Every structure is written in C-alpha cells, then in structure tokens.
Amino acid sequence: MATFTSLRHISKIASRHNFFVSSSPSLSLLPACTSSIRSFQTKATPPARIPEFAFAFDIDGVLVRSSDPLPRAHQALSYLQSHRIPFILLTNGGGKHEDERVADLSSKLDVSLSTSMFVQSHTPFADMHEYKDKTVMVVGGDEDRCRIVAEKYGFKTVVTPGDILAAYPEVWPFSQQLLPYYKGFTRALPAPIDPTSPSTSLEIDAVFVFNDPRDWGLDTQIIKDVLLSEKGIMGTFSKKNGDASLPNKGYQQDGQPPLYFSNPDLLWAAKYHLPRLGQGGFREALEGVWAAITGGPSAGVTLQKIVMGKPHQPTYAFAEKRLISHRQHLLKQFDGRLGHLKRVYMVGDNPESDILGGNSYESPHGTDWASVLVQTGVYVEGTEPAHKPRKIVGDVWDAVEWATEQEGWSK
Ligand code: G3P
Ligand code: MG
C-alpha cells in the first residue's frame, strides 16, 4: 500500500507510470484532505467501468485567471486523468500556436495535456484550406505572433495591419509614436498599395481576427479600408458603396473579402477582479464605426461577417469531434467495447458563451451536453445567469464532483 503526501504527488506518479489511482475514500472527501496524508491503492489495471461521459472545460475563469491557475484546477484535471475520464479544453482564447498554449497550460496546471484535447478560438481557421495560397490579413495578438500561428497553419501570404502602417505611416496618423514598436516585427508587404494601378496593388482575399487586437484604432481603420475597397484591393474605394439600389446599400457588394472573427466574447475573466472587454468588444466598436459610416441598421446596412467561437454550433461540433477522437485514443484498450459518449459536461464561467453554447448545441451523435456554471470567472454568484445552466457550482472541482456523482462514478 503506497502512501503519499499530496494529490499532486500522486497524480505525477500516476501519469508517469500510467497507474490508475483509485482513492479509498469517496470523491467528496478529497478536497478537504488534499493537504493531509492520504493512503491510496495504485493499480495498473484499467478502471472497472468505461466512462460514458466526458468533460469540456473552458479555460479563462475556470482553470486560470490570465496566467494564474485557479486553486482546485490541478486537482480536478488530475483526478479525471487518474480515472481515465476524458476531457478537452475549449477556449475562446488564443494568440499562440496550440503547441505553445498547451505547453504553457501543462506547466501552469501541473497536468500533462496534449493538443489532441485542446481547441482554442482560431483552431478551426487551420481547416480553411481555400485561403492557404491566397493573401490573408491576420488581426490581433501580441506583435506578429498570430501571423506566425497562421503560417504554421499553412497560410502562405499573411499581412498584418502593422505591416501596412510600417510601409505607409500616413494610413493611420495616430499610431506614429508606435512605429518603433511595429518596426520590430513587421514585414515588407507582398505588393504596394497603389490605387493608380489596381492590378498590381495589394489585394486581400480574407480577413481573420485571430485574437484581441492590441491597437483597436489601427485595426479598425485598416479593416474599414478593406471592406470599403474594390475587391479587397487596398487603397481603392468601391463605387457601389452607398448605392441604395443594391442590397446592404451597396456595402460589401463588390467582391470584398470575408471578415472572420474567432471569438464573440464581449467580456472575459482576466486577472483583474472585474470582467474585461474581449474580442467581442472590439467587434462591437468596429460595428459602431461601420454603422456611423454606412448609416447602419436604420439605413438597412449591417456588417457582413462570420463570428466563430463559443457559443456557436460549428465550434461545439469541432470540439465534439476532437473530444470523441481523444476519448477513443485514451480508452483504446477498450476497443470494440467503447460505447457511445452519452454526456459531455460543459464547464464554464460565461453564460453567454459556455452555458448558451452548451445548452443550444445539438450533437449529431445524440450526445447530451450538460452546462455547468462556475463562480470563479465572469458569472457573479447570486445573480440570475442570462442562460440557465444544468447546475451552478462554486469551482471546477465542485463541477467534477457533482458531475461524477450524477454519473454514479464516485461510488
Ligand atoms: O480571450 C479569452 C476570452 O475571450 C475567454 O476565454 O477561455 O473563457 O473561453 P475562455
Ligand atoms: Mg471563460
């Protein structure tokens, strides 16, 4: 009988030697005793039961607050790993390549994670093969780290608003003092901006907002220029703009490129004690400028865009596909006996993304998605959430405890 001083020590040994740690006390005793000595029976045999349920964990406000892990996040994830209960991380965050983000989270949470169990806001952009050989504009993130992510996804020609500012500082008069910052990482444009020669001028084929813009002014200006241009040719202005005889008053009716947002979050839980504006805040600001320029909804004009990320169905479908293949890999020793994934517990802190998405997702596999709302992020304890979760709990460990009890697992 091995004895250990903490759950963290146990889970390290368990994951290193592929042991299954089965605790002699019931799960509900664990939180109170993680600091005391507990004796555990380590078994190398697979769990008696095949879990027919799994978890999808939101990150910010559930597992971490910016770079700080939340108190019982390690405990929750390592418990699931020691019981071979599958889970994925499903975040509207991003800004780094999946490899880098997973390595960060593995070390912060002291749990071994892999990209096969990880979906972030722009992960689905990697599948947009139709744009890989075209010229795309990537917006957001620190310096040009999102360009580097896009290139790792296979996009061959990537332009950023910073590249345009560095080449033509007059394009946005109010970021001149930031030029030294931009010149540290921007690249020469693949073509000049020359409205007198549209055929050789820089042409954008798609705009992807990968992560939260750091220079809202510049990025708003450049995206507006693209959307008002002729066919995405920078420096031009479409003659169709404002033509009331055309749909959307002629705006975005002249071959302008599609505009993709990766994250709808208006607010998110960072380190500060109050929620912060997210990528959805930038989009709302851009929509405000767009409405002021075009006349907006009262003139029958909207901003034509594609918004991905939680709570939208394609993101949950993408995540479910990844979860199912991760579960098959994790439980491959049950090949042939691995039944249908009956339920996924979607654990999140934001009613607008995690709970709404979990509640409204319709699984093509008939899997029940049960939303669980924690009180460690955007949602404020005691208030009525905008979207009613299956359960409200204190933190991520409470969510795991409640869900495993629902499944009769802790018995
Ligand atoms: O930018 C991150 C923020 O939008 C929220 O991320 O992990 O709570 O979906 P998450
Ligand atoms: Mg969150």
Side-chain angles (χ1 to χ4, degrees):
M1 173 91 76
T3 56
F4 301 86
T5 49
S6 83
L7 194 63
R8 179 165 300 215
H9 187 62
I10 301 159
S11 60
K12 264 194 186 148
I13 290 184
S15 50
R16 206 164 37 237
H17 300 288
N18 214 16
F19 284 176
F20 291 90
V21 175
S22 76
S23 59
S24 38
S26 85
L27 185 69
S28 49
L29 286 179
L30 277 181
C33 314
T34 43
S35 53
S36 67
I37 289 184
R38 300 214 47 79
S39 64
F40 287 82
Q41 181 89 22
T42 56
K43 287 187 291 182
T45 50
R49 266 179 64 190
I50 302 173
E52 294 172 336
F53 63 102
F55 289 83
F57 291 109
D58 170 43
I59 297 179
D60 290 297
V62 173
L63 301 173
V64 299
R65 290 291 297 249
S66 289
S67 52
D68 296 340
L70 281 160
R72 302 201 294 181
H74 166 81
Q75 189 177 319
L77 299 187
S78 46
Y79 171 80
L80 295 176
Q81 283 196 330
S82 62
H83 284 249
R84 282 281 187 277
I85 296 171
F87 65 84
I88 58 165
L89 305 187
L90 172 57
T91 177
N92 275 347
K96 298 172 182 168
H97 191 268
E98 283 70 13
D99 293 340
E100 190 181 346
R101 193 79 205 278
V102 162
D104 279 354
L105 287 165
S106 295
S107 104
K108 269 189 206 107
L109 296 167
D110 193 15
V111 171
S112 58
L113 303 167
S114 71
T115 51
S116 68
M117 57 206 289
F118 182 70
V119 177
Q120 61 181 343
S121 62
H122 45 74
T123 306
F125 288 168
D127 290 353
M128 296 199 170
H129 303 294
E130 65 272 34
Y131 294 111
K132 298 287 176 77
D133 296 323
K134 303 216 167 172
T135 301
V136 300
M137 178 175 284
V138 165
V139 178
D142 287 331
E143 301 189 345
D144 74 336
R145 300 178 72 169
C146 288
R147 181 210 321 262
I148 293 160
V149 175
E151 290 173 336
K152 282 188 178 172
Y153 285 177
F155 291 95
K156 295 192 182 54
T157 310
V158 182
V159 166
T160 69
D163 295 345
I164 294 174
L165 178 75
Y168 300 94
E170 61 282 9
V171 79
W172 177 241
F174 306 113
S175 288
Q176 305 305 306
Q177 72 282 12
L178 296 177
L179 276 172
Y181 159 76
Y182 281 107
K183 288 201 184 313
F185 56 84
T186 48
R187 296 186 197 167
L189 292 173
I193 293 181
D194 178 2
T196 62
S197 157
S199 60
T200 57
S201 190
L202 176 63
E203 184 173 333
I204 303 297
D205 297 304
V207 180
F208 293 101
V209 183
F210 263 63
N211 192 244
D212 306 84
R214 275 35 176 190
D215 187 345
W216 281 27
L218 170 66
D219 294 348
T220 300
Q221 176 66 71
I222 298 296
I223 291 174
K224 180 194 77 63
D225 288 351
V226 174
L227 298 181
L228 292 175
S229 71
E230 225 175 277
K231 299 182 182 50
I233 300 169
M234 295 306 289
T236 64
F237 187 84
S238 169
K239 294 182 188 54
K240 294 184 178 177
N241 293 333
D243 180 343
S245 69
L246 295 172
N248 213 41
K249 244 177 90 185
Y251 292 102
Q252 295 177 279
Q253 307 298 310
D254 193 7
Q256 290 92 348
L259 170 59
Y260 290 91
F261 291 93
S262 63
N263 168 3
D265 287 357
L266 178 64
L267 299 169
W268 68 295
K271 205 175 277 191
Y272 192 67
H273 64 288
L274 296 174
R276 302 295 78 194
L277 285 172
Q279 190 184 131
F282 169 73
R283 179 177 48 73
E284 292 293 351
L286 177 69
E287 301 231 33
V289 168
W290 187 250
I293 288 168
T294 63
S298 55
V301 179
T302 60
L303 176 67
Q304 318 273 309
K305 66 213 175 261
I306 302 103
V307 182
M308 300 173 73
K310 298 175 290 181
H312 301 301
Q313 170 92 4
T315 294
Y316 278 85
F318 187 94
E320 185 177 61
K321 219 166 101 196
R322 189 152 285 194
L323 175 55
I324 289 171
S325 63
H326 171 66
R327 176 173 182 255
Q328 281 158 354
H329 173 74
L330 185 73
L331 300 172
K332 55 183 175 297
Q333 76 263 36
F334 296 110
D335 238 356
R337 285 180 294 135
L338 184 62
H340 168 66
L341 175 60
K342 285 209 173 67
R343 184 164 301 107
V344 175
Y345 290 92
M346 173 69 224
V347 182
D349 71 299
N350 188 337
E352 298 298 341
S353 59
D354 307 309
I355 306 310
L356 174 58
N359 291 350
S360 49
Y361 175 58
E362 284 170 23
S363 165
H365 309 282
T367 301
D368 170 35
W369 279 64
S371 58
V372 184
L373 182 59
V374 296
Q375 298 167 1
T376 50
V378 167
Y379 167 68
V380 178
E381 184 179 352
T383 60
E384 190 59 35
H387 304 283
K388 191 171 170 26
R390 197 77 62 92
K391 179 75 178 169
I392 297 178
V393 294
D395 69 2
V396 63
W397 174 260
D398 295 326
V400 166
E401 191 173 27
W402 175 76
T404 46
E405 274 161 15
Q406 295 301 303
E407 300 294 330
W409 184 268
S410 53
K411 302 286 176 281

